């Protein structure tokens, strides 16, 4: 699903993104509710990036990656931790692309997410390559999502990947 976000694009950058786990739902500009084999997932586009809410019989999980005023937790390259009965894994990377590369990659990602039944993308008015896109799926007992945050003024694309799944016993 592709939507035009009803807000003005603010001149933020990849370095302004912060990561938080367990935050309450923040005001969203667009949402997509999904049922993925017993897991309820809500993809949320915020004015300053994304939030994912996961509800399942084992509990709930909330991930926020956004420009959060006063946040002291910058965007980490990776996180692995236990959340209730789940293992939570998060990874992020920042790519810096030329203007031509950026435009091509933006078009590819928006097409991928827009055409996917579990995808949500929002573009900012007047800034076709400024977007946030999200894609969720369930695979082998885990719920996974990927996100992309585009900052065309800097040629930066932030990609995140998250997996939340049942804790696996340690190998013997």
């Amino acid at each position: 699903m592709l939507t035009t976000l009803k807000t003005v694009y603010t001149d933020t950058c990849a370095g302004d993104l912060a990561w938080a786990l367990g935050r309450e739902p923040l005001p969203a500009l667009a949402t997509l509710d999904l049922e993925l084999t017993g897991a309820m997932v809500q993809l949320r586009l915020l004015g300053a990036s994304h939030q994912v809410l996961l509800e399942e019989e084992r509990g709930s999980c909330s991930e926020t990656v956004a420009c959060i005023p006063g946040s002291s937790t910058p965007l980490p390259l990776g996180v692995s931790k236990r959340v209730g009965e789940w293992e939570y894994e998060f990874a992020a990377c920042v790519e810096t692309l030329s203007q031509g590369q950026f435009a091509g990659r933006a078009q590819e990602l928006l097409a991928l997410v827009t055409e996917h039944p579990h995808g949500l993308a929002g573009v900012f008015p007047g800034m076709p390559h400024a977007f946030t896109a999200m894609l969720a799926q369930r695979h082998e007992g885990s719920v996974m999502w990927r996100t992309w945050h585009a900052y065309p003024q800097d040629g930066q694309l932030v990609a995140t990947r998250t997996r939340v799944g049942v804790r696996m016993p340690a190998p013997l």
Side-chain angles (χ1 to χ4, degrees):
M1 179 171 93
L2 178 65
T3 186
T4 298
L5 301 173
K6 295 185 180 7
T7 189
V8 176
Y9 180 73
T10 55
D11 193 20
T12 60
C13 65
D16 292 340
L17 287 175
W19 168 85
L21 199 56
R23 287 186 74 108
E24 292 296 316
L26 297 171
L29 299 173
T31 62
L32 179 63
D33 293 314
L34 302 170
E35 193 279 320
L36 302 175
T37 318
M40 302 306 294
V41 177
Q42 185 178 67
L43 304 179
R44 303 169 59 82
L45 296 177
L46 312 177
S49 290
H50 88 258
Q51 188 172 51
V52 177
L53 307 177
L54 169 63
E55 294 280 339
E56 198 181 45
E57 65 183 32
R58 292 182 205 100
S60 62
C61 178
S62 165
E63 173 189 280
T64 307
V65 172
C67 302
I68 305 168
S71 176
S72 60
T73 307
L75 188 65
L77 294 178
V79 174
S80 182
K81 65 189 306 179
R82 186 169 184 185
V83 176
E85 294 182 33
W86 291 328
E87 289 292 330
Y88 170 89
E89 297 172 359
F90 172 86
C93 71
V94 179
E95 287 182 86
T96 302
L97 305 166
S98 71
Q99 189 174 7
Q101 291 171 320
F102 190 92
R105 186 79 171 121
Q107 289 173 342
E108 288 173 2
L109 289 170
L110 286 171
L112 169 76
V113 174
T114 299
E115 294 170 12
H116 196 284
H118 302 147
L120 175 63
V123 295
F124 291 86
M127 297 284 294
H129 297 132
F131 67 90
T132 301
M134 309 171 72
L135 189 63
Q137 66 181 22
R138 179 129 190 168
H139 182 68
E140 296 181 359
S142 295
V143 177
M144 298 174 284
W145 57 87
R146 298 194 61 190
T147 72
W148 297 271
H149 307 267
Y151 300 97
Q153 72 279 10
D154 299 322
Q156 291 186 316
L157 184 66
V158 178
T160 73
R161 184 183 72 244
T162 302
R163 186 190 72 79
V164 179
V166 177
R167 187 167 190 214
M168 302 304 284
L172 298 176

